Amino acid sequence: MSDYKIRNKCGICSSTDLISILNLGKQPPANSLIDDLTLLSQEVKFPLRLGFCKNCCFVQLLDIVNKEFLFKNYLYMTSGSKPIVQHFNKYAKDIHDDFLKNDNESTVLEIGSNDGSLLLEFKKLGCKILGIEPAQNLAKLANELNISTQNSFFSSNVAKEIIKSKKISVVVANNVVGHIEDLHDFMNGIKILIGNDGIFIFEVPYLNDLIKKLEFDTIYHEHLSYFSLLPIINWVNQYELEIFDIKKQSVHGGTIRVFITKKGNIPQKNSVKTFLNEEHNYGLDKIETYEKFAQNVLNLKSKLLKKIMELKSENKSIIGYGAPAKGNVLLNYCNIDHKIIDFIIDTTPLKQGKFTPGTHIPIYHPSKMENKGSNDVSLLLAWNYKNEILENEKLFRDRGGKFLIPIPEPTII
Ligand code: TYD
């Protein structure tokens, strides 16, 4: 099966001392929504296991699905989520103020620029911009909005081409480094792009939050890596690069923003030591931490299913709120399908009218909630937007509708 392979050595240190720490069963790719139920025979599933490198503590997937298969036509659009657009607005301002105030000549390059939402914020601030985006549909969309975007996967060869015609001062990559299979070619490309004085800034969900808040549903085939600071240091050191700062962000259930430059270019801030100490104190470098996590995930599954069966026995109808990739992991892992959930609502136009992979639940526009109320419970699959969704669905709640928040502990509110 050429669409899938098993990882047998660590993506950062190449050690073969990799062990499985969590098995989420066979799952369809979490974003592979189904257009039409007559196409079900084409649905594919792959094993989904999380591994830990005993040598360098890097947490990574053991099951790798071909990237062409996962990313060529991508439904996730950053502009679809208001909190992300707000995050990008502040993000661009902060980076501009800290690094780009006196630089009108060089370009901000974004790897995995999606529909161009972040680059648009840089453009508004007067920066030159360029996006690299592998999904054809998204690159086309961004170009139509005048966000200059190259439709390709990023690689060191792409980096070599770019610097022939452009000086790059800042490279950003949001929620994309975890998708990269060849981390070494990637960092080599970064080194080429940023040269002696450029900066690379990336944001990834933080492993510490994943473990603490039991965000197991953020583990899926697109996310090959689950970062803590310790392995990142090992990784960038191999390229004579250095982390000079790290900051916590609240998006995506807990994210880190990591700042990298050529070794010696910018003095390292205390934040780096502080993060390393916290990770050590929490045990991110110990296998026992992950064994406990896996047991907690199993317990969560039993509790959630028990709660749902209780609601069903009270004749409540259950709907799903949000059709994020993570929702599909949770539904598939817990075997919650179209027989249990009537439908899911989601604000993303591209997702409406489709069906969830593996569980075959129809996805509708939020207007479907209009008749819902006291007899209904909405399973919050997009838990990362809890505040916004509860606010948007005030009328549903006023009519007596309840939300079931699945993680870290199934809770009805
Ligand atoms: P996202 O955070 O992108 O998660 P993932 O990375 O796991 O795919 O997905 C959030 C989903 O929730 C997205 O499909 C849009 C949807 N959504 C709503 O339906 N209503 C809302 O109010 C918000 C904020 C998001």
Side-chain angles (χ1 to χ4, degrees), residues 30 161 165 283 350:
E161 279 307 307
S165 59
L350 281 173

Side-chain angles (χ1 to χ4, degrees), residues 38 103 137 175 183 218 282 287 318 379 397:
T38 59
D103 182 358
N137 58 329
N175 241 347
L183 291 171
T218 61
Y282 188 65
I287 185 72
I318 301 182
L379 174 62
R397 300 181 72 204

Side-chain angles (χ1 to χ4, degrees), residues 14-50:
S14 300
S15 161
T16 50
D17 212 355
L18 272 184
I19 53 159
S20 172
I21 48 177
L22 178 67
N23 187 347
L24 293 173
K26 270 195 156 189
Q27 298 232 4
N31 270 312
S32 57
L33 299 182
I34 300 165
D35 291 335
D36 182 337
L37 288 183
T38 59
L39 303 174
L40 278 189
S41 59
Q42 292 168 23
E43 193 168 62
V44 280
K45 294 185 181 179
F46 302 99
L48 182 59
R49 291 166 307 150
L50 192 66

Side-chain angles (χ1 to χ4, degrees), residues 76 220 321 324-326 346-348 351 382 384-385 388-389 392:
Y76 173 71
Y220 47 89
Y321 210 109
K326 63 174 84 60
D346 195 287
T347 46
T348 316
K351 296 186 181 179
N384 48 329
Y385 296 122
E388 197 190 5
I389 289 173
N392 289 348

